[in-house]
Amino acid sequence: MIIKNNFKYYVEQLLLTLIPILIFNIGLPHLLPILKVVGSTVFLLILVIAMAALATGKRGFIQVIRLISIVNFLVVLAMFLTFYISSFLVLTDAIGFENFLGYFSKIITSFSLAYSIELASALSLTASQLMVFVSAAALLLFGIGMLIKKVLNKNG
């Protein structure tokens, strides 16, 4: 018994595995290196087991691995959001919410690169880290959108 949409399963499994790897290695800069290596190894192991499950074609095994992948993705997403929400709270506590909004309003009203660099330095992010953060957020939103679409298609 083989799943009909093998390509869709591969893409979904790759997204559910590669996004946590990116979050662990790039999105959580203060995580200990050993935890990054262990986390990445676990994620890749889940990917290998998922591909083996697809090769065997056992539907129950595939569903269990898929559920493990989704739970793993959500746990890493929760860690990511907790880290950046707490960082935002520390930032607003340190410079004040009004100053933060002042930086933000300058960027929005002028669309100037100089103000963007000023905000990045206030947030202690380099331009490459800021680009990675925005890219990771876009990938996360895309993945969440695909999961929501899939759930809605099943229910409706």
Side-chain angles (χ1 to χ4, degrees):
M1 176 185 324
I2 304 240
I3 290 183
K4 293 179 184 176
N5 298 326
N6 289 347
F7 181 73
K8 185 178 177 183
Y9 178 78
Y10 281 124
V11 170
E12 181 180 297
Q13 201 59 45
L14 280 172
L15 284 176
L16 287 174
T17 305
L18 293 179
I19 291 173
I21 289 173
L22 285 174
I23 289 173
F24 251 59
N25 291 318
I26 298 170
L28 297 172
H30 301 295
L31 199 61
L32 294 173
I34 187 70
L35 293 177
K36 289 181 182 183
V37 170
V38 169
S40 297
T41 305
V42 169
F43 304 142
L44 289 175
L45 184 63
I46 289 172
L47 180 65
V48 168
I49 292 172
M51 297 307 137
L54 186 64
T56 61
K58 295 182 180 178
R59 192 168 187 82
F61 191 51
I62 291 171
Q63 289 174 345
V64 168
I65 293 300
R66 186 168 174 270
L67 181 65
I68 289 171
S69 297
I70 291 171
V71 168
N72 181 39
F73 175 79
L74 291 176
V75 166
V76 172
L77 183 64
M79 289 172 54
F80 179 75
L81 291 175
T82 302
F83 175 76
Y84 280 100
I85 289 171
S86 64
S87 295
F88 176 74
L89 291 175
V90 168
L91 175 70
T92 56
D93 187 43
I95 67 170
F97 194 66
E98 292 81 13
N99 290 337
F100 177 76
L101 288 178
Y103 284 125
F104 190 69
S105 67
K106 288 178 186 177
I107 291 171
I108 295 299
T109 56
S110 69
F111 295 103
S112 170
L113 181 61
Y115 288 124
S116 299
I117 293 171
E118 182 180 338
L119 179 65
S121 66
L123 295 175
S124 299
L125 294 177
T126 63
S128 63
Q129 287 175 331
L130 195 59
M131 289 178 62
V132 167
F133 177 74
V134 170
S135 300
L139 277 174
L140 285 173
L141 290 175
F142 176 75
I144 291 170
M146 293 301 291
L147 286 174
I148 291 171
K149 181 180 175 184
K150 188 169 189 167
V151 168
L152 290 176
N153 285 340
K154 282 185 179 180
N155 293 334

